[in-house]
Amino acid sequence: MKKALFTLLLAIFATAAFAQNEQRSQNSEDMATRRAQMTKQRTTQLIKSMRLTDEDEAWFTQLYTEYQDTLNALRDALRPQSQPEEVSGMKDMKKFSDEEASQMIANQFSMEEQQVAVKRAYYAKFSARLTPKQLMLIFMGPAMNRGQRNGQQQDMQRRGFGGPGGWGGPGGWGGGRF
C-alpha cells in the first residue's frame, strides 16, 4: 500500500515538474517570437524614417537584426535564470543582505558596460553607410521619441486639450477657450 501511494505521489510530482518545464519552454519561445516581431517592426519604422534605398534597406535589415539579437543574447546570458520576482520588481528590498544587494548592483554595472561595448561595435558598423542623424535614430531613437511625446502632450495641454477635465482642462468641455 505504501509503495503504491509513494509511486502515485512520485508520478504526480514528475508530471508537475514536466509540465512546469514545458511551460518555461513555451514562455521562452513566446518571448523569442515577441522579440523578433518587435525587431521587425522597429526595423520597418527606422527604414521609413531614414528613407533608405533598396540596397541599403537590405543591408540595414540584416545588420540591425543581428545587433538586436546580440543585445538580447547578452541580456539573457547575464540575467539569472531563476530570478525571483522580488529582484525584477524590487518589491521588498529588505529581503536582501548587504552582500546580495552589492552583488546585484555590480552585476547591473557589468551588464550595462557590456551592452555599451556591443553598441559601440555596432555603431562603427552602422556608421560606414549611415549619416550621423540616421545613427541618432538607431541609438537614441527611443529616448528621443519619449521626449517628443512628452512635448506633444504638454503642447496639447497648453492648447486646452486633455487634462483632468477632458477637453479644455479643468473647465470641462472647452472651458471657454474656443
Side-chain angles (χ1 to χ4, degrees):
M1 177 74 172
K2 288 182 181 180
K3 286 184 179 181
L5 183 60
F6 179 74
T7 305
L8 178 64
L9 288 174
L10 184 61
I12 290 172
F13 285 123
T15 304
F18 178 76
Q20 192 174 25
N21 286 338
E22 197 65 29
Q23 181 65 30
R24 283 186 189 145
S25 175
Q26 182 66 32
N27 287 343
S28 65
E29 289 173 12
D30 290 346
M31 180 64 99
T33 302
R34 214 168 324 137
R35 282 181 177 172
Q37 289 172 344
M38 288 172 44
T39 298
K40 187 176 180 180
Q41 289 173 344
R42 180 74 176 135
T43 304
T44 303
Q45 290 172 343
L46 286 169
I47 288 170
K48 195 179 289 186
S49 297
M50 293 189 284
R51 299 181 184 139
L52 298 177
T53 64
D54 289 341
E55 181 182 318
D56 286 340
E57 184 177 324
W59 166 83
F60 177 79
T61 300
Q62 184 272 330
L63 189 59
Y64 188 77
T65 302
E66 179 184 308
Y67 166 64
Q68 289 298 322
D69 290 346
T70 303
L71 283 177
N72 288 332
L74 178 65
R75 289 179 192 125
D76 290 344
L78 296 175
R79 182 180 304 123
Q81 293 300 325
S82 59
Q83 188 176 41
E85 185 177 327
E86 294 86 7
V87 174
S88 62
M90 293 296 179
K91 292 187 177 182
D92 190 5
M93 293 190 316
K94 293 178 185 177
K95 291 183 179 182
F96 300 109
S97 68
D98 288 344
E99 294 81 23
E100 289 172 324
S102 294
Q103 185 61 45
M104 288 173 61
I105 293 168
N107 290 345
Q108 180 66 28
F109 288 156
S110 175
M111 184 167 79
E112 289 173 3
E113 289 167 353
Q114 291 179 27
Q115 286 176 338
V116 168
V118 167
K119 289 178 181 183
R120 284 187 192 276
Y122 277 91
Y123 173 81
K125 293 178 182 182
F126 282 119
S127 64
R129 289 175 78 168
L130 300 176
T131 67
K133 289 180 183 178
Q134 290 172 325
L135 293 169
M136 283 180 68
L137 290 171
I138 297 168
F139 295 100
M140 298 175 70
M144 289 173 49
N145 289 340
R146 256 193 316 278
Q148 289 174 350
R149 280 195 306 269
N150 290 340
Q152 289 171 350
Q153 290 170 351
Q154 291 169 355
D155 186 45
M156 287 182 70
Q157 287 175 349
R158 250 192 324 275
R159 293 180 186 202
F161 299 102
W167 292 88
W173 295 95
R177 295 182 189 209
F178 292 103

